[in-house]
Amino acid sequence: MRRYSVVLCPIVACMIGVAAVSAQAGQSADDLAKATQNPVASLISVPIQNNSNFAVGPYNRTQDVLNIQPVIPARISENWMLISRIIQPIIWQPTTTANTGGQYGFGDMNPTFFLSPAKPGKLIWGVGPAIVIPTATSAVLGQGKLSFGPSMVALVQPGHWTFGFLTNNVWSVVGSSHRPSVNQLLLQYFITYNLKRGWNINSGPLMTANWHNQASGDAADGDDTPPGGRWTIPFGGGVGRVMRLGPQPVNLSANFYGNAVHPPGASSWGMRLQIALLYPKKPKG
């Protein structure tokens, strides 16, 4: 897994199928904020998320990943919804062996599709495929492999809280024979406490594991990438607010994470800033 891939998934409000709420007159920011953490209702959202990863390599360079990630729910029957999330990263990858230079361009596209009950109970869930498409404009910005795997999300929303997790694991199926095979895990838990006037406090660290990284003490095989830690385990959190910019509902958030465990030379901490444009479904009539 390349270093940039650890930031390709959004936090709570940009998770799959972000949110939904009826655009009824008088609806409060608090209601909309709670709805943005529900991944299975009828809202189209367009999150734009910028991830700055600091202290990369021996020269302490900064990597930047801008994710454009529209989320589109569609009701496919009376009982089921299909939620589509497509993440297209635009990456600045600094040269790690010098204090200047780097590559800028598109990374690999990551579509995910979730089938979810249209009328969920207390436990809200979705399952479906995760895909990585090799659309990177440079070899250093992508993996050069087409990869597939299963994905799952589940959450509950008692009172002012949201608790949940999202996970997937993808394996490469075709691609350049000169590039390492892909077998990588993503696991994100998220916790949000909703305050008044649309504010919230949240934490959604994104843990990843590259199973082809040769861990210390393991024997190498033909699929191994250079020796290094398999896991990236961050901790931290931030604040967010759902509000309106003129007539447009938006979800704003700022988060800081430190990586307690990370591969050698990878970023030790980062900042995530996001604005998500929200398009609630209007009630009939």
Side-chain angles (χ1 to χ4, degrees), residues 105 144 227 248:
Q248 177 64 56

Side-chain angles (χ1 to χ4, degrees), residues 1-2 4-5 8 91 106-109 132-148 171-182 184:
M1 183 190 306
R2 292 189 177 273
Y4 70 84
S5 62
L8 297 188
I91 303 169
F106 290 107
D108 291 339
M109 183 182 292
V132 178
I133 302 173
T135 56
T137 53
S138 169
V140 301
L141 303 180
Q143 297 171 326
K145 299 281 190 176
L146 177 65
S147 303
F148 291 91
W171 294 265
S172 55
V173 291
V174 295
S176 171
S177 60
H178 302 292
R179 307 293 296 277
S181 297
V182 174
Q184 61 190 36

